[in-house]
Amino acid sequence: MSKKIMILGAGIYQVPLIETAKKMGLYTIVVSIPGNYPGFALADKVYYENTVDDEKILAIAQKEKIHGIVTTGTDVCVITIGKVCDAMNLTGLSYEAAKVAVDKLLMKSKYEEYGVRTARFRKVQFSDDNFAKAIQDLNFPLIFKSVDSSGSRGIIRVDSPAEFSSAMSYVKENTRKDYFLVEEFIEGEEFGAQAFVYNGVVSFILPHGDYVFHGDTGVPIGHFAPYQLDESVIEDAKMQLRRAVKAMGLDNCAINADFILKDGKTYVLELGGRCGATCLAELVSIYYGFNYYEKILKTALGENPDFDFPSSYVPNASHLLMSDKDGVIVSQTDRTSEDPRICEVHFDYEPGDEVHKFHVGPHRIGHVITKGDTLQEAQDVLFQAMDNIEIIVEEP
C-alpha cells in the first residue's frame, strides 16, 4: 500500500512536488480551490477545497488517513499544515510555529523578543484615526504591510504622510485582519536564503542573490547561487537565521528567508516555514546535486531526509518570464540551442491564454533556469537564453 501524501495547492510551484511524489511511488492527494491549475491533472485524487479552511482539510486528512502533508512556494496554507500535523501527529511544523510564520506582526514580535536583527515596527489598527501619532518615531521611508498575505501582495512603500491614505486602502484590500504592520524601510541590498530544519537542527543554509522587480515594493523575479559576500557577512546572516528559526519555533520544514544587507549587517525581513517560490527548490537541487523536493517529501512522511552534501557545488541562476502588459498570448518562441547548461525553459501558458502585466509573483508567465562552472557563466547563459525567447502579448 502506497503512503498517502497530501499536497496543498495545485499551481505551478506545486507541480514539481506532485511529480516527485509520483516518482517516489506515493499516492498524491491534491487540495486546492477550483481553477485552471496544472497540478490537478497529475494527482491521484483531488479535493476542491480552500487550503486555508484548516478544519475542513483536517477532516479530509483524517478520512484519507494520510501519512504526510506539505506544500511549497506559498504561505497561505502553512497554518493548515501545522494544524493537521499536530492533530494527526505528523512530521512538520507545529500549529504554534505556523501561526507565527503566517502573521508578520507575531513574527516581528518574536524577533524582537529573541534579539533577531530586524527593522523597527509598529502595529496599527485600520480604525485608528490618529495612527500617524503611533508611528511618529519611525523614520521614512516606511513599508505598510498586510500581516497575513504572501507573494508580495499587500505590501507598499510609503515616502511621506501624503501617501498614508492610499497605502492603507491598498493594504486593507489584501488582508483579512483589522490591523496592519508599519515598519521602517531599510535601504540596502536584498538577498535571501533557503534553509532546512530537521529534528531541531538546521541542516543547511544556502544564501542566494535575488533579481528584483521594483514596483510598489521589491518583488523577487529570479535568484542565483552562490551569493558573493564576505565570509563575515555570510556568518552573520546564518546566525540571524538560526536565531529567527528558534524565535519562531520552526522545525521539520523547509525555510524561505528574506534579508536586507546594510552596512555589513544582515536584517531579517521574514522567514517562511516552507520552500521558496521562483525556482528556489530547483536552485537548491542544482547547487547541492540532490532532489530537494524529495527531501521535503521524505521529511513530511516522517523519514530521514538524509542530506548528503557534495565536495563541490554547481552555480546556477533562474529568472521569471513576464509580460509588460495585460493581454492575450499570441505566440511564444524558444530559439535557444541545445545546451546542457540550460536546465529548463518553461512556459506557464499557451497561445490564446490571458495574462497580466507583471506586478506580483503570480503574474509570471514562465521561467528559465541555467547552470555553469562559475556563477558568471550561469548568468551569461541565463540572459542569452532569455534573449532567445519571444512571447508576444497583444491587448484584447
Side-chain angles (χ1 to χ4, degrees):
M1 177 71 179
S2 297
K3 285 189 175 182
K4 290 183 175 181
I5 187 76
M6 179 177 278
I7 294 172
L8 300 185
I12 196 68
Y13 290 122
Q14 289 81 48
V15 165
L17 193 66
I18 301 166
E19 290 175 336
T20 304
K22 297 289 289 179
K23 286 175 187 170
M24 292 168 67
L26 303 176
Y27 184 85
T28 56
I29 300 167
V30 170
V31 184
S32 171
I33 56 172
N36 184 26
Y37 299 118
F40 289 141
L42 304 170
D44 291 303
K45 193 166 189 178
V46 171
Y47 283 91
Y48 297 102
E49 300 288 352
N50 194 323
T51 59
V52 303
D53 191 338
D54 52 10
E55 291 289 350
K56 192 168 279 186
I57 305 304
L58 174 57
I60 294 168
Q62 289 171 328
K63 182 184 82 171
E64 290 286 353
K65 297 183 173 63
I66 65 168
H67 298 90
I69 181 168
V70 73
T71 192
T72 187
T74 180
D75 289 315
V76 294
C77 57
V78 164
I79 203 159
T80 301
I81 292 173
K83 179 143 191 167
V84 173
C85 284
D86 277 9
M88 297 182 67
N89 197 28
L90 299 176
T91 304
L93 81 174
S94 68
Y95 186 57
E96 284 303 310
K99 283 195 289 188
V100 177
V102 299
D103 187 318
K104 294 178 177 68
L105 180 65
L106 270 177
M107 190 188 304
K108 296 280 288 189
S109 300
K110 287 287 186 183
Y111 290 170
E112 197 171 60
E113 180 185 342
Y114 280 76
V116 180
R117 194 185 298 121
T118 193
R120 294 197 305 148
F121 67 96
R122 295 288 181 272
K123 174 185 176 180
V124 176
Q125 299 284 341
F126 285 110
S127 59
D128 185 358
D129 293 330
N130 196 26
F131 83 90
K133 188 175 180 182
I135 63 170
Q136 64 183 2
D137 61 331
L138 297 182
N139 298 317
F140 285 99
L142 301 171
I143 293 286
F144 283 21
K145 279 186 178 181
S146 157
V147 301
D148 58 345
S149 62
S150 67
S152 304
R153 295 186 188 92
I155 301 175
I156 188 166
R157 175 174 165 155
V158 177
D159 290 303
S160 73
E163 299 171 16
F164 282 175
S165 179
S166 61
M168 277 181 73
S169 296
Y170 171 69
V171 176
K172 199 169 188 176
E173 289 169 8
N174 289 278
T175 185
R176 297 179 295 277
K177 303 287 188 180
D178 60 1
Y179 60 89
F180 65 103
L181 185 69
V182 177
E183 67 180 40
E184 291 181 342
F185 178 76
I186 300 170
E187 300 272 7
E189 186 177 350
E190 291 187 39
F191 73 105
Q194 297 305 291
F196 202 91
V197 57
Y198 175 66
N199 285 352
V201 177
V202 177
S203 303
F204 71 84
I205 299 173
L206 175 56
H208 52 75
D210 300 340
Y211 302 118
V212 179
F213 173 85
H214 292 285
D216 292 327
T217 183
V219 180
I221 52 173
H223 305 281
F224 55 88
Y227 190 47
Q228 310 292 356
L229 288 169
D230 289 343
E231 195 58 41
S232 61
V233 173
I234 289 177
E235 285 310 308
D236 178 56
K238 289 181 176 181
M239 182 179 72
Q240 296 302 323
L241 187 145
R242 287 193 177 94
R243 199 173 282 172
V245 166
K246 186 175 181 182
M248 295 169 67
L250 296 173
D251 200 6
N252 295 313
C253 63
I255 290 165
N256 179 59
D258 293 322
F259 301 132
I260 290 278
L261 179 64
K262 181 181 180 181
D263 299 331
K265 292 181 178 178
T266 300
Y267 290 78
V268 179
L269 293 178
E270 60 184 74
L271 262 62
R274 46 79 185 175
C275 178
T278 328
C279 309
L280 281 165
E282 287 75 12
L283 177 139
V284 173
S285 296
I286 296 166
Y287 190 78
Y288 288 125
F290 53 62
N291 187 326
Y292 191 33
Y293 292 109
E294 190 177 295
K295 306 293 188 187
I296 292 168
L297 288 160
K298 278 188 169 183
T299 301
L301 293 168
E303 300 171 14
N304 190 334
D306 205 18
F307 288 101
D308 43 344
F309 299 102
S311 55
S312 61
Y313 305 110
V314 180
N316 64 94
S318 60
H319 204 289
L320 297 185
L321 299 173
M322 305 171 291
S323 174
D324 60 3
K325 58 188 169 187
D326 291 334
V328 174
I329 293 179
V330 175
S331 65
Q332 44 194 19
T333 309
D334 175 12
R335 297 191 184 89
T336 58
S337 55
E338 278 292 319
D339 189 333
R341 299 171 300 176
I342 299 176
C343 303
E344 189 175 1
V345 173
H346 186 276
F347 297 129
D348 296 348
Y349 298 96
E350 302 285 343
D353 288 342
E354 284 187 29
V355 295
H356 294 286
K357 176 181 178 179
F358 189 85
H359 180 68
V360 291
H363 292 160
R364 53 164 284 163
I365 60 175
H367 67 240
V368 182
I369 306 171
T370 59
K371 63 182 180 181
D373 291 332
T374 64
L375 177 59
Q376 187 64 56
E377 182 183 355
Q379 291 177 314
D380 288 346
V381 174
L382 174 68
F383 291 109
Q384 286 166 12
M386 290 181 68
D387 285 344
N388 285 314
I389 294 166
E390 183 181 36
I391 302 176
I392 297 175
V393 175
E394 289 187 357
E395 295 174 3

